[in-house]
Amino acid sequence: MNLKQLSELLGLSQTTVSRALNGYPEVNEATRERVLQAVKETGYRPNKAAQRLATGKAGSIGLVMPTAPGHYSDVHFGEFLTGLGEEAVRHDFHFVIMPADPDDEIGALRRLAISGNVDALFVAYMRGHDPRLPLLQSLSMPYLVHGRSYGSEPDYPYLDIDNEGAFYDASKLLLQLGHTRFALMNGPEHLDFAIRRKRGVVAALAERGLDLPDTCVSHSSMTDEQGQFAMEHFLQQPEPPTAILCSSTVLALGAIRAVNQAGLKLGEDISLIAHDDVLPHLKPENFSVPLTTTRSSLRAAGVRIAQRLIGTVKQDGAYPEQELWKTELIVRASTGAAPRLDQNFGGV
Amino acid sequence: MNLKQLSELLGLSQTTVSRALNGYPEVNEATRERVLQAVKETGYRPNKAAQRLATGKAGSIGLVMPTAPGHYSDVHFGEFLTGLGEEAVRHDFHFVIMPADPDDEIGALRRLAISGNVDALFVAYMRGHDPRLPLLQSLSMPYLVHGRSYGSEPDYPYLDIDNEGAFYDASKLLLQLGHTRFALMNGPEHLDFAIRRKRGVVAALAERGLDLPDTCVSHSSMTDEQGQFAMEHFLQQPEPPTAILCSSTVLALGAIRAVNQAGLKLGEDISLIAHDDVLPHLKPENFSVPLTTTRSSLRAAGVRIAQRLIGTVKQDGAYPEQELWKTELIVRASTGAAPRLDQNFGGV
DNA sequence: GTGAGTTGTCAAAGCGCTTTGGAATTTGCA
DNA sequence: TGCAAATTCCAAAGCGCTTTGACAACTCAC
């Protein structure tokens, strides 16, 4: 069933039917009713490709998903996408996901942009001086960045959380509890959020004249395995840290295993604060020692990003170009007063 | 830059340029070279919507993603999608993801199918007597089902793992170890895999004249929280089970927490086997007591599904209609001989 | 040097939709 | 009743691409 057939069925012109469907004013209400009724009965749906070709609008948001054999998928991806979708479904928007070799993200982004398949682009996992930014800016297509790119002029539309502030505040809390030996379990070194989180910790420590030795910083992907590995490494040091900042609850999972295996008590011998993206399958409050966290819902960010992007495409909203969300610091049992310094609590 | 402009630039007709680009034989090699060169220089890319309109092919696979406020995202989704993408990127295919209200998955699927935006459909999270099956069969579009639909005639193309066999084998192992009191932590009750896994356990127990009481079966979404909750529930029973079958490593995470908090030892007081979808962020071998698992890579399934679907669209492959993958049973430390029955190991 | 067979190219017809410009019909008011 | 304005509808022109059917131009015998 296409427009032509439908209009013949109704004894109307294609124009009239099209207008009736798209809410143009110059069509009789009774006629419109008849058309709508026929649509219901026949199950007619306009061909999107044709609509796209004629209007230049596709009703879709494009994003690039890096993938390759051996390339780790990201636990957070599904949750974020669910948030995007939650909003998109209200506007009958969909997503076009272009898988891409991690080495060719730029190329994939460009191809996606000029394919004519999408109205807007979304990018995430920003890096310092991210090369995708100039590309996006040169394209004449709406886009929105999740996160920021450290070192680039912040004149692009983004939504980010205050990573630096979050980790600054978390560090402050631990300092107040008397901790002096800190460690940071961070995400991949080149990623923007990792850079900023580290800055937050360093800034807080600096205020007390403390520093964060390189041996007390780990960078890795967000898996429980890496968390365990990093924590074991920290604990093997001659003077192990007592305060741990952790970029993800998934990392924390492994870290806590290492703490337990070393015979240490979380919240007593070791304090830990993790960043919580509010993943539904891993709640920090349910950890055997409930986790103190800096919290910001990834899903909520997804909703908001879809909102802004769709709004821009539909031209119906003046959204702020830049948004920086504060995180919440939720204190639970994994943080406690620093153990007395002279106390020996033997590593591994 | 479009075809017309490009052909004018080259002093050729659109036909010739189009043919040169699409590898038709009736074009001079030198001309083809010239065209390819021009494409490189101008960065010309064909408009996908126009291509789609003209050919009826979109180079994309469609899938519906249920989402709503409060609707849990699935940890496994990202990993699976990564697998799909891994194959898709090799064929320059992309995905169209249509978010849908969980109550309107059928409607969304239909709209996606007739939108003209996709060449093939993929569905997952199959339920018993799944109503999407008749819809798919009535559509004239290639599709592939991940999983099966219990109770429906298995005459549709699917890829599934042998859930029943996996849980049968796992139960057998536990029986051999002397266990007699079993419990099953399963996924949502209406899902096909949950139905089959339960059948596997029940069948194995039946051979020994044992049964699986309703009080020893839990159905829930795959979160650590639900896992902990279910296990606590099991342990409160007068004669708690000593052998646990678990549908996901994520559930196992919570379950193990409950075991520890009850002061029990995994692999001694309680044996546990979980199904492992091979999630990169949660490895069963790294659990403090490494987990015995039934293993089947979700990602590999994604790769294979994309392969079959793309093959069907390109009409270049005769793939088997139905595939049933065996799982591996990997024995680690979370399973051990049943504790002596007279031994008291006090609940909670 | 003519006819058949190849090769390389082109003009034009769609694909299904939106939108423009104008025509036909109805309405309002003098 | 007459005429302008408002309403309702239509034919046709794209949107950018693929593909069909034809046509030159060129080869190669005979």
Side-chain angles (χ1 to χ4, degrees):
Chain A
M1 174 65 62
N2 58 26
L3 224 214
K4 191 172 174 197
Q5 293 169 343
L6 183 67
S7 60
E8 278 166 5
L9 186 84
L10 284 160
L12 295 173
S13 73
Q14 297 189 37
T15 315
T16 305
V17 177
S18 172
R19 285 190 167 147
L21 257 29
N22 296 324
Y24 281 66
E26 53 273 78
V27 55
N28 192 318
E29 259 324 302
T31 308
R32 191 192 304 279
E33 270 313 312
R34 254 182 75 219
V35 171
L36 258 29
Q37 186 59 33
V39 164
K40 237 179 213 159
E41 283 163 11
T42 59
Y44 164 82
R45 290 279 156 183
N47 179 307
K48 288 277 185 184
Q51 253 176 344
R52 163 65 178 167
L53 189 54
T55 62
K57 300 258 167 251
S60 70
I61 293 171
L63 51 113
V64 170
M65 177 180 76
T67 173
H71 181 88
Y72 275 9
S73 74
D74 182 6
V75 223
H76 306 87
F77 185 69
E79 178 69 1
F80 181 77
L81 203 57
T82 304
L84 281 178
E86 203 178 291
E87 178 70 16
V89 73
R90 296 190 195 118
H91 302 273
D92 201 23
F93 263 61
H94 59 263
F95 302 107
V96 172
I97 297 200
M98 169 146 299
D101 191 291
D103 296 333
D104 186 34
E105 276 194 69
I106 296 249
L109 193 61
R110 171 178 285 117
R111 267 171 292 156
L112 186 56
I114 57 188
S115 74
N117 261 330
V118 300
D119 297 322
L121 292 171
F122 159 79
V123 299
Y125 304 111
M126 296 304 286
R127 295 185 275 274
H129 294 284
D130 201 298
R132 287 171 298 178
L133 232 31
L135 171 61
L136 286 167
Q137 286 165 332
S138 74
L139 260 24
S140 50
M141 175 174 288
Y143 67 94
L144 186 52
V145 170
H146 186 203
R148 279 176 289 175
S149 175
Y150 197 84
S152 303
E153 191 63 32
D155 55 355
Y156 47 91
Y158 66 75
L159 182 151
D160 196 7
I161 60 172
D162 183 6
N163 284 300
E164 184 165 346
F167 275 58
Y168 175 86
D169 292 344
S171 301
K172 274 293 212 190
L173 173 64
L174 291 166
L175 284 167
Q176 280 159 10
L177 287 167
H179 292 272
T180 53
R181 295 200 301 264
F182 281 67
L184 170 63
M185 304 176 56
N186 213 344
E189 189 162 12
H190 56 283
L191 291 187
D192 178 85
F193 78 80
I195 298 171
R196 294 188 197 265
R197 289 177 185 179
K198 184 173 176 184
R199 284 175 56 89
V201 177
V202 167
L205 291 183
E207 289 181 5
R208 296 283 182 101
L210 297 170
D211 70 355
L212 185 67
D214 278 349
T215 52
C216 284
V217 177
S218 74
H219 291 282
S220 69
S221 56
M222 307 295 207
T223 72
D224 71 325
E225 191 172 27
Q226 294 293 340
Q228 181 168 1
F229 180 79
M231 182 59 103
E232 282 167 0
H233 177 76
F234 289 152
L235 292 179
Q236 275 162 7
Q237 299 184 8
E239 288 204 321
T242 64
I244 314 289
L245 281 305
C246 184
S247 265
S248 157
T249 49
V250 180
L251 279 173
L253 207 59
I256 291 169
R257 212 149 49 212
V259 169
N260 291 336
Q261 282 175 3
L264 300 176
K265 281 240 190 299
L266 190 64
E268 296 177 20
D269 304 318
I270 293 261
S271 286
L272 185 148
I273 301 181
H275 181 71
D276 176 23
D277 289 301
V278 197
L279 302 177
H281 72 283
L282 197 60
K283 300 199 176 167
E285 60 267 38
N286 292 329
F287 277 51
S288 48
V289 176
L291 239 49
T292 296
T293 58
T294 56
R295 183 171 70 183
S296 184
S297 164
L298 198 55
R299 185 163 183 162
V303 172
R304 177 63 181 155
I305 284 173
Q307 215 170 60
R308 281 180 57 180
L309 232 22
I310 294 172
T312 308
V313 170
K314 292 191 167 173
Q315 327 242 32
D316 62 21
Y319 291 99
E321 283 281 292
Q322 280 106 18
E323 279 179 77
L324 196 61
W325 287 8
K326 285 283 171 203
T327 62
E328 300 169 283
L329 180 56
I330 317 274
V331 179
R332 300 196 187 85
S334 70
T335 40
R340 298 217 329 278
L341 273 181
D342 53 21
Q343 187 179 340
N344 180 358
F345 61 93
V348 171
Chain B
M1 172 67 62
N2 58 24
L3 225 214
K4 191 171 173 198
Q5 293 169 341
L6 183 67
S7 60
E8 278 166 4
L9 186 85
L10 284 159
L12 295 172
S13 74
Q14 297 188 38
T15 316
T16 305
V17 176
S18 172
R19 287 193 164 144
L21 256 28
N22 296 324
Y24 281 68
E26 56 272 75
V27 51
N28 193 317
E29 261 323 303
T31 307
R32 191 191 305 277
E33 269 313 312
R34 254 182 75 217
V35 172
L36 259 29
Q37 186 57 36
V39 165
K40 236 178 214 158
E41 282 164 11
T42 60
Y44 165 82
R45 290 276 156 185
N47 179 306
K48 288 277 184 186
Q51 253 176 344
R52 162 66 178 165
L53 189 55
T55 61
K57 301 256 166 252
S60 70
I61 292 171
L63 52 114
V64 169
M65 176 181 76
T67 173
H71 181 88
Y72 275 11
S73 74
D74 182 6
V75 223
H76 306 87
F77 185 71
E79 178 68 1
F80 181 76
L81 203 58
T82 304
L84 281 178
E86 203 177 291
E87 179 70 18
V89 73
R90 297 191 194 115
H91 302 274
D92 201 21
F93 263 61
H94 59 264
F95 303 106
V96 173
I97 296 199
M98 169 147 299
D101 191 290
D103 296 332
D104 186 36
E105 275 192 68
I106 297 250
L109 193 59
R110 172 178 284 115
R111 266 171 292 157
L112 186 57
I114 57 188
S115 73
N117 260 330
V118 301
D119 297 322
L121 291 171
F122 159 79
V123 300
Y125 303 111
M126 296 304 286
R127 295 185 276 274
H129 294 284
D130 201 296
R132 287 171 297 177
L133 232 30
L135 171 61
L136 286 167
Q137 286 165 331
S138 75
L139 260 24
S140 52
M141 175 173 287
Y143 67 93
L144 187 51
V145 170
H146 187 204
R148 279 175 290 174
S149 177
Y150 198 82
S152 303
E153 190 63 32
D155 55 354
Y156 47 92
Y158 66 74
L159 182 150
D160 197 6
I161 60 172
D162 184 6
N163 283 299
E164 184 165 345
F167 275 57
Y168 175 86
D169 291 345
S171 301
K172 274 294 213 188
L173 173 64
L174 290 165
L175 284 167
Q176 281 161 9
L177 288 167
H179 293 271
T180 55
R181 296 200 301 265
F182 281 68
L184 170 62
M185 304 177 56
N186 214 343
E189 190 162 13
H190 55 281
L191 292 188
D192 178 84
F193 77 81
I195 297 172
R196 295 187 196 266
R197 288 177 186 178
K198 184 173 176 185
R199 284 174 57 88
V201 178
V202 167
L205 292 183
E207 289 181 5
R208 296 282 183 106
L210 298 169
D211 71 354
L212 186 67
D214 279 350
T215 51
C216 282
V217 178
S218 74
H219 291 282
S220 69
S221 57
M222 309 295 208
T223 73
D224 71 324
E225 190 171 27
Q226 294 292 340
Q228 181 168 2
F229 180 78
M231 183 59 103
E232 282 166 359
H233 177 74
F234 290 152
L235 291 179
Q236 274 161 8
Q237 299 184 10
E239 287 204 321
T242 63
I244 314 288
L245 282 305
C246 184
S247 264
S248 158
T249 48
V250 180
L251 280 172
L253 208 58
I256 290 169
R257 213 149 49 210
V259 168
N260 290 336
Q261 282 174 4
L264 299 176
K265 281 241 189 302
L266 189 65
E268 296 177 19
D269 305 317
I270 292 262
S271 287
L272 186 148
I273 301 182
H275 181 71
D276 176 22
D277 289 302
V278 196
L279 301 177
H281 72 282
L282 198 59
K283 301 200 175 167
E285 60 267 37
N286 292 330
F287 277 51
S288 48
V289 177
L291 239 48
T292 296
T293 57
T294 56
R295 183 171 69 183
S296 184
S297 164
L298 197 56
R299 184 163 183 161
V303 171
R304 176 64 181 154
I305 284 172
Q307 216 171 60
R308 280 181 60 181
L309 233 24
I310 294 173
T312 309
V313 170
K314 292 192 166 174
Q315 325 245 32
D316 63 21
Y319 290 98
E321 282 282 293
Q322 281 104 19
E323 278 179 78
L324 196 61
W325 286 8
K326 286 281 171 203
T327 63
E328 301 171 282
L329 181 57
I330 316 273
V331 180
R332 299 195 186 86
S334 70
T335 40
R340 299 217 329 277
L341 275 180
D342 54 22
Q343 186 178 337
N344 180 358
F345 61 92
V348 171

